[in-house]
């Protein structure tokens, strides 16, 4: 019995030392490279969540690996003619501990995830037409509404603030709260602006609202993350984050280019479901 406890304490000590060293090292080396990046408030929040999950995962991963290595080294058969040890049919104390530990881990992650998803900084996942945690605009400003319209096989973007302008490329101003109204003309799509940490289902006749606030200029990838037909893989584009002055200049240019066709578009409404025109597939 004493020998068994000694082995247990030795294993726990080795595991605890390895976990204490490896966990902060993993966070230090992975913190700057965790997806999806730091291009928006929502993306930064997802990086924090990934760091927390890493901090949970590393010690438990080491628990399994350390136990396997310890058992192979300490309890291996040494020399010929050594008989196998006695059969073990279970250890109720160990089983109860394992069940309790697993339950506590799942509950802790559930509580953390629930709290985080209700924070305004995590509003990039789409929360239906009446979001539970809208991202408030800065004092003295208002959120810029942009409608994201999925269709086979591209996304187009409507700016009701600029006369219902609709463009094939998404351009957003820096440091301004954006209110995305995501919908679809035909089948279910999923709007995924990767570097911004935004991923929202686009369903026909549904106004799925998400929020984002970009924190630096540059390009970001836009993909469809829902299998939507034969050319699903074609639904790829690059969006841009620009300064406020550049954004105003861009909208002026787009209104000049697309102005002649605006009168053919239906009036702006949140579900945006004109008469269907089948593209194929």
């Amino acid at each position: 019995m004493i020998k068994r406890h000694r082995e247990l304490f030795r294993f726990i000590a080795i595991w605890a030392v390895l976990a204490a060293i490896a966990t902060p090292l993993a966070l230090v080396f992975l913190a700057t490279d965790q997806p999806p990046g730091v291009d928006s408030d929502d993306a930064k929040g997802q990086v924090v969540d990934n760091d927390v999950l890493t901090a949970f995962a590393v010690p438990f991963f080491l628990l399994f690996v350390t136990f396997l290595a310890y058992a192979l080294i300490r309890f291996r058969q040494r020399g010929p003619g050594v008989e196998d040890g006695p059969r073990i049919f279970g250890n109720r104390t160990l089983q109860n501990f394992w069940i309790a530990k697993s339950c506590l881990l799942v509950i802790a992650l559930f509580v953390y995830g629930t709290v985080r998803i209700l924070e305004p900084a995590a509003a990039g996942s789409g929360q239906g037409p009446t979001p539970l945690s809208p991202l408030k605009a800065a004092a003295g400003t208002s959120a810029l509404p942009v409608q994201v319209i999925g269709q086979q096989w591209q996304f187009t973007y409507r700016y009701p603030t600029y006369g219902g302008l609709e463009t094939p490329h998404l351009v957003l101003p820096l440091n301004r709260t954006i209110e995305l109204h995501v919908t679809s003309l035909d089948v279910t799509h999923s709007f995924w602006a990767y570097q911004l940490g935004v991923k929202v289902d686009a369903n026909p006749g549904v106004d799925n609202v998400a929020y984002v606030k970009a924190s630096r200029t540059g390009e970001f990838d836009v993909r469809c993350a829902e299998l939507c037909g034969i050319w699903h893989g074609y639904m790829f584009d690059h969006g841009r984050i620009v300064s406020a002055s550049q954004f105003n200049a861009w909208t002026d240019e787009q209104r000049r280019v697309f102005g002649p066709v605006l009168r053919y578009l239906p009036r702006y409404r949140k579900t945006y479901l004109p008469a269907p025109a089948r593209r194929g597939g």
Side-chain angles (χ1 to χ4, degrees):
M1 180 68 68
I2 296 177
K3 182 178 179 181
R4 185 184 301 173
H5 287 169
R6 187 183 300 119
E7 292 286 358
L8 177 61
F9 292 143
R10 182 182 298 164
F11 163 72
I12 292 176
I14 294 173
W15 168 70
V17 170
L18 291 176
I21 295 173
T23 301
L25 286 177
L27 292 175
V28 167
F29 286 104
L30 294 178
T32 57
D33 296 324
Q34 293 275 32
V38 293
D39 286 2
S40 72
D41 291 348
D42 191 65
K44 292 176 183 177
Q46 292 178 33
V47 170
V48 172
D49 296 338
N50 287 330
D51 287 339
V52 171
L53 292 176
T54 300
F56 270 98
V58 170
F60 285 97
F61 172 76
L62 286 175
L63 177 65
F64 302 130
V65 174
T66 304
F67 177 78
L68 177 62
Y70 189 85
L72 289 174
I73 295 172
R74 291 291 299 171
F75 306 123
R76 71 184 187 276
Q77 180 175 326
R78 293 177 173 85
V82 179
E83 296 183 358
D84 292 339
R87 297 178 65 184
I88 299 176
F89 293 94
N91 186 308
R92 187 172 298 275
T93 302
L94 183 60
Q95 291 171 347
N96 290 336
F97 166 76
W98 194 263
I99 293 172
K101 180 268 301 178
S102 300
C103 290
L104 289 174
L105 176 62
V106 171
I107 292 172
L109 291 175
F110 168 77
V111 171
Y112 175 81
T114 301
V115 171
R116 290 287 292 167
I117 203 170
L118 293 177
E119 293 182 358
S125 58
Q127 298 180 6
T130 55
L132 296 174
S133 54
L135 184 62
K136 301 297 184 182
T141 64
S142 59
L144 175 68
V146 177
Q147 189 170 50
V148 180
I149 306 160
Q151 51 198 292
Q152 294 175 314
W153 285 274
Q154 66 175 337
F155 288 106
T156 58
Y157 310 94
R158 262 198 140 180
Y159 298 80
T161 308
Y162 298 90
L165 168 69
E166 185 171 336
T167 70
H169 304 290
L170 180 59
V171 177
L172 300 175
L174 180 68
N175 292 327
R176 183 171 178 183
T177 300
I178 309 298
E179 185 179 282
L180 298 168
H181 294 262
V182 184
T183 187
S184 169
L185 292 184
D186 35 50
V187 300
T188 299
H189 301 275
S190 182
F191 172 70
W192 187 17
Y194 176 76
Q195 287 83 356
L196 299 184
V198 175
K199 188 171 183 289
V200 190
D201 286 342
N203 299 313
V206 176
D207 179 35
N208 201 0
V209 181
Y211 294 84
V212 67
K213 184 178 180 181
S215 55
R216 63 181 183 181
T217 59
E219 287 191 346
F220 56 90
D221 296 331
V222 175
R223 296 180 180 272
C224 177
E226 186 81 25
L227 184 59
C228 58
I230 190 171
W231 293 111
H232 162 71
Y234 176 79
M235 290 184 67
F236 174 82
D237 194 20
H238 293 288
R240 287 189 297 134
I241 303 297
V242 298
S243 66
S245 59
Q246 290 174 319
F247 179 75
N248 290 331
W250 177 82
T251 54
D252 290 340
E253 174 64 16
Q254 297 302 298
R255 295 180 75 176
R256 184 187 66 81
V257 173
F258 292 102
V261 301
L262 289 181
R263 61 192 180 94
Y264 297 107
L265 297 175
R267 290 180 58 85
Y268 174 81
R269 57 184 184 270
K270 292 183 178 179
T271 55
Y272 191 79
L273 198 62
R278 186 172 181 82
R279 183 171 296 212

